[in-house]
Amino acid sequence: MRKIFEVMIYDKYYDVFDIEGKEHAGLNNEPKTWWLYFADRLPEGCTPPLDSDNWKEWHVSIKRCVWDIHFKQKNTTKEKWGDTQFNNHINISILCNGRPFYEFGTFDMAFAMAKVQYLQVVMSEHPFNFFTPEKDNGRKIWWYNMPATVVVNTYEPWNIKIRPDYTTGFSKEQWWKEYTERRAKRLSPVRVFVDEEMPEHEEDEEDAAADLINWGDALSDGNIWWFRNEKS
C-alpha cells in the first residue's frame, strides 16, 4: 500500500492509495487498485487498515485538481508630467486544491482567460512540481550547466531560488568564477543605461555572499536542466 496523491472534497483533504492485490471493478477504466480513504487523515507515516469500512473505490468523477481562479480588473490613474494618465490592469490568482498555484498580470481579459487554460496544461506537464512544490525543495539541477539545487519560495511557491552545489568537486570560488563567465557569454554584448558607479558584477558578488541566486518564476527556466541524477 502506498499513498499516491491527495484530493479535495468540499474543503477537506483525503488521501488516495494504490493497494496492490485489492481491486475494485474499475467500471470507467479507473485504475482498479486505486482507493480513496474517505475518513479523517491519519498522522504522517501511518496507513489505514486494509479492512476499514472507509475505503471507497476511486471514481472518474473525482477530480485530482480542484481549481479556484480569481480575475480582478481595475482602472487606475497616475500623475506624470502634470497630466493624469488612466490605465487598466487585471490581476489573476490561481489556486489548486486550495493552495496558491500561480499569479500573473495582464491588460486584456480574453488573453487572461486563454492564458489560464494554457498554464493549466503547461504547468501540469512541466518538470517542476507546481502542484506540491515543497517536494522539489533541494532538487538537484544543472544551472548554466553548473551543479546546483532548487530552493522553493514558501510564500509564492512557483518562484524559486538557486543554491550552488559545492559537493561535486567545485569550490565556492571556482563555482562562482565559472558561473560568472558562462553567464556573461550568454548576455547581449550591448549594455544600455549603464550605471558607471555600479560594478558590473555587483549582483553576482551579492549572490555569492548569500550562496543563493534569487531567480524567480520556475517557468522561465531557459538556463535550467531539471534532470541531474543523484551521482552527479
Side-chain angles (χ1 to χ4, degrees):
M1 179 192 305
R2 64 185 181 92
K3 176 184 170 182
I4 48 178
F5 54 85
E6 64 184 17
V7 294
M8 195 175 183
I9 302 176
Y10 290 107
D11 294 323
K12 191 173 180 179
Y13 295 99
Y14 297 90
D15 293 329
V16 178
F17 290 82
D18 185 357
I19 308 176
E20 185 177 355
K22 181 179 175 66
E23 296 188 357
H24 54 76
L27 297 179
N28 298 289
N29 293 320
E30 302 100 333
K32 295 182 179 181
T33 57
W34 286 15
W35 294 84
L36 170 70
Y37 186 66
F38 198 49
D40 291 340
R41 305 171 82 179
L42 298 178
E44 188 70 27
C46 297
T47 54
L50 279 174
D51 59 355
S52 172
D53 294 331
N54 295 314
W55 291 115
K56 304 297 180 183
E57 300 177 3
W58 175 256
H59 194 273
V60 68
S61 296
I62 306 173
K63 300 303 179 184
R64 293 179 61 173
C65 295
V66 178
W67 298 100
D68 186 2
I69 303 168
H70 298 261
F71 297 85
K72 184 175 182 179
Q73 187 173 30
K74 59 183 176 181
N75 294 314
T76 60
T77 64
K78 180 174 65 174
E79 298 296 326
K80 187 175 183 180
W81 297 326
D83 188 27
T84 301
Q85 298 183 354
F86 295 91
N87 296 288
N88 178 271
H89 190 76
I90 306 168
N91 292 314
I92 300 92
S93 61
I94 307 173
L95 287 82
C96 182
N97 293 342
R99 298 188 178 99
F101 186 74
Y102 199 72
E103 293 181 3
F104 67 95
T106 186
F107 303 95
D108 182 81
M109 185 62 77
F111 173 81
M113 293 180 176
K115 184 172 180 178
V116 167
Q117 292 180 305
Y118 166 80
L119 289 172
Q120 287 176 309
V121 175
V122 169
M123 295 173 74
S124 67
E125 297 175 347
H126 195 277
F128 181 77
N129 189 344
F130 287 97
F131 296 94
T132 51
E134 64 275 7
K135 292 184 177 180
D136 272 353
N137 197 42
R139 175 176 178 163
K140 291 185 174 183
I141 61 169
W142 296 106
W143 169 251
Y144 282 88
N145 291 325
M146 302 289 292
T149 59
V150 170
V151 178
V152 175
N153 188 334
T154 55
Y155 178 67
E156 296 178 333
W158 57 91
N159 284 328
I160 61 172
K161 297 180 176 66
I162 309 296
R163 188 181 301 282
D165 187 349
Y166 305 135
T167 67
T168 61
F170 282 96
S171 67
K172 178 173 180 174
E173 291 74 17
Q174 292 171 327
W175 197 100
W176 283 96
K177 181 177 183 297
E178 187 68 22
Y179 163 63
T180 301
E181 292 175 354
R182 293 185 185 191
R183 190 169 73 94
K185 290 178 182 178
R186 299 191 186 186
L187 296 177
S188 169
V190 179
R191 299 183 65 200
V192 184
F193 303 120
V194 176
D195 185 344
E196 297 296 339
E197 296 182 1
M198 180 177 290
E200 183 175 354
H201 301 299
E202 182 175 340
E203 182 178 345
D204 288 346
E205 292 172 359
E206 292 177 356
D207 290 343
D211 274 329
L212 202 62
I213 299 167
N214 189 16
W215 174 241
D217 195 339
L219 281 175
S220 303
D221 58 356
N223 300 308
I224 298 175
W225 174 248
W226 293 97
F227 304 102
R228 181 163 74 96
N229 61 42
E230 294 298 320
K231 295 181 180 179
S232 60

